[in-house]
Amino acid sequence: MTESTRYDGKFYTPAPVAKQLVALISAEPSYILDLCSGPGALSAAALERWRPSSIVTIDKDPTVRPFFNGLDRLVHRHIVGDALQIDGSHGLGGDGFDVVLTNPPFGYRPRCDNLYQIVDRSIVGRGLRSVTAEMAALAQAFWFAKPGATVASIMPDTLVAGARAAWFRQQVEHVADVCAIKSLPPHTFHRTDAKTHLVVLRKHSSSAARDSNAEPGCFYSSSGNWLTSAAGTPERVGNTLADLGVQVVRGATNATKARAERRALFHTDGFAAAAEHGVLELNGHEPCPNEVEAVPGDILMARVHRNIEAKVALVARGTLPISDCVYRLRCPKSVTESVWRWLRSSDGRTRLSAAVRGVSARHLPKSELLNMIVG
């Protein structure tokens, strides 16, 4: 299998991405750990930049084993096993690693009963909140990192900026500084357009407060969104959709059910008719009092789709109920055209793309849409 092949929830790291991640690290490590190593792209990038004395790679697939040739005096140990179930009994106790690299399986749910314990021993404050495998993998990386060490990971957007993981990001900041984040373009990984990011964190050197550990290049997140923090807090220019008085309503009708009942409905596939000019002529003319309907002057856009930023259209004629995969934007008449044109502009599409969440099923939260600055 190639480095970009998917296996058991894994998306193996392409070599150029591995080099980008390693380039973000400001350290001179002697001991490196590569969790969920796969064929070893991250390790290879690390060995190209540094000459550590020891490197450990861990992967559960016995058919995939990294090999590093031509490196004198390098001690390489490979462990076949689930990275989330490796502990001190495998001889990895020691004093910890200088750098821990990981590209954990996205969306993969391992048969592992101790996800909560993995997170709780490294990152406190979980309470009764649920834990994902991605969270556990990052917590495992911190467990093996020595104080002051660097943890560098490829993370899905849901973990870096998703609302459900906000508590986790905030708790991580109690044990580490976020030093660098770089967003990767769609389709970076084979057969997926998942939004992903390169993230570099530095584990605190002691239990002291974060401010006493602050180092150049590190930043902290008051909002819990690492992407917002990485970009800083830009000066606000323009009004949000909420400021402009735009009302955003989600459709209420299930498309599959409506089609089974042969009821007319506007669904995401209807945007194809507006692909060129962004204008829709709906084929319905009767009001639909019990459903969320679109009328002339409304702006429709996809709520759930693989290509949300391209699904925006102005209703010029006709009336139809909309599916629960579609948003209806009802604007004051004075701003309808300007909002529509901006959403279809290059800037508008870029901001919509940045606001979209999800790894496979991409969706646009209503709150993100309303808080989007127009212009």
Side-chain angles (χ1 to χ4, degrees), residues 10 12 32-41 43 54-68 74-83 86 90-92 97:
K10 297 181 181 180
Y12 287 146
I32 297 175
L33 173 64
D34 187 353
L35 285 172
C36 310
S37 63
S43 298
S54 174
I55 188 165
V56 176
T57 54
I58 302 175
D59 199 273
K60 65 178 293 185
D61 182 3
T63 67
V64 177
R65 178 186 176 92
F67 288 98
F68 310 114
L74 173 70
V75 177
H76 172 219
R77 179 186 177 193
H78 181 69
I79 299 174
V80 177
D82 190 331
I86 298 293
H90 292 77
L92 296 179
F97 292 86

Side-chain angles (χ1 to χ4, degrees), residues 105-133:
F106 295 173
Y108 175 49
R109 295 296 177 264
R111 294 179 179 176
C112 178
D113 297 328
N114 62 336
L115 290 184
Y116 292 102
Q117 291 88 338
I118 292 172
V119 170
D120 291 342
R121 72 183 181 182
S122 300
I123 301 169
V124 300
R126 173 180 60 84
L128 298 177
R129 298 178 178 93
S130 61
V131 169
T132 65

Side-chain angles (χ1 to χ4, degrees), residues 26 147-150 177-179 202-205 210-220:
S26 56
T150 297
D177 300 328
V178 186
C179 299
R202 186 175 297 121
K203 187 175 179 179
H204 291 165
S205 57
R210 288 188 313 189
D211 290 346
S212 65
N213 288 308
E215 299 182 40
C218 297
F219 58 85
Y220 307 128

Side-chain angles (χ1 to χ4, degrees), residues 248-320:
V248 178
V249 178
R250 170 184 172 176
T253 305
N254 180 273
T256 302
K257 182 178 179 181
R259 285 169 177 167
E261 297 173 355
R262 297 189 176 182
R263 288 188 287 141
L265 181 76
F266 182 84
H267 188 49
T268 52
D269 53 5
F271 285 106
E276 184 175 357
H277 301 294
V279 177
L280 285 169
E281 294 189 2
L282 305 178
N283 56 12
H285 303 284
E286 298 297 326
C288 309
N290 297 323
E291 301 185 77
V292 177
E293 61 178 352
V295 300
D298 287 340
I299 299 173
L300 300 182
M301 62 180 302
R303 182 186 69 84
V304 179
H305 199 272
R306 294 176 64 87
N307 192 21
I308 288 177
E309 56 272 18
K311 307 297 181 182
V312 178
L314 177 68
V315 179
R317 185 181 305 171
T319 300
L320 268 184

Side-chain angles (χ1 to χ4, degrees), residues 36-211:
C36 310
S37 63
L42 293 176
S43 298
L47 293 174
E48 185 175 317
R49 180 179 178 189
W50 304 300
R51 286 296 180 264
S53 58
S54 174
I55 188 165
V56 176
T57 54
I58 302 175
D59 199 273
K60 65 178 293 185
D61 182 3
T63 67
V64 177
R65 178 186 176 92
F67 288 98
F68 310 114
N69 297 319
L71 296 173
D72 296 334
R73 296 187 298 275
L74 173 70
V75 177
H76 172 219
R77 179 186 177 193
H78 181 69
I79 299 174
V80 177
D82 190 331
L84 298 185
Q85 299 191 48
I86 298 293
D87 54 28
S89 64
H90 292 77
L92 296 179
D95 296 323
F97 292 86
D98 300 314
V99 167
V100 180
L101 307 168
T102 182
N103 176 14
F106 295 173
Y108 175 49
R109 295 296 177 264
R111 294 179 179 176
C112 178
D113 297 328
N114 62 336
L115 290 184
Y116 292 102
Q117 291 88 338
I118 292 172
V119 170
D120 291 342
R121 72 183 181 182
S122 300
I123 301 169
V124 300
R126 173 180 60 84
L128 298 177
R129 298 178 178 93
S130 61
V131 169
T132 65
E134 295 92 339
M135 293 177 183
L138 186 60
Q140 185 79 319
F142 279 117
W143 178 252
F144 287 117
K146 71 180 185 182
T150 297
V151 172
S153 177
I154 299 172
M155 298 186 191
D157 188 66
T158 49
L159 191 59
V160 173
R164 291 185 179 181
W167 70 269
F168 181 76
R169 293 189 296 273
Q170 290 168 351
Q171 296 310 121
V172 166
E173 291 174 34
H174 288 291
V175 300
D177 300 328
V178 186
C179 299
I181 292 182
K182 182 176 182 179
S183 298
L184 296 173
H187 304 291
T188 294
F189 292 90
H190 186 64
R191 294 182 181 176
T192 178
D193 59 356
K195 186 182 293 186
T196 53
H197 311 275
L198 307 178
V199 181
V200 177
L201 306 105
R202 186 175 297 121
K203 187 175 179 179
H204 291 165
S205 57
S206 70
S207 59
R210 288 188 313 189
D211 290 346

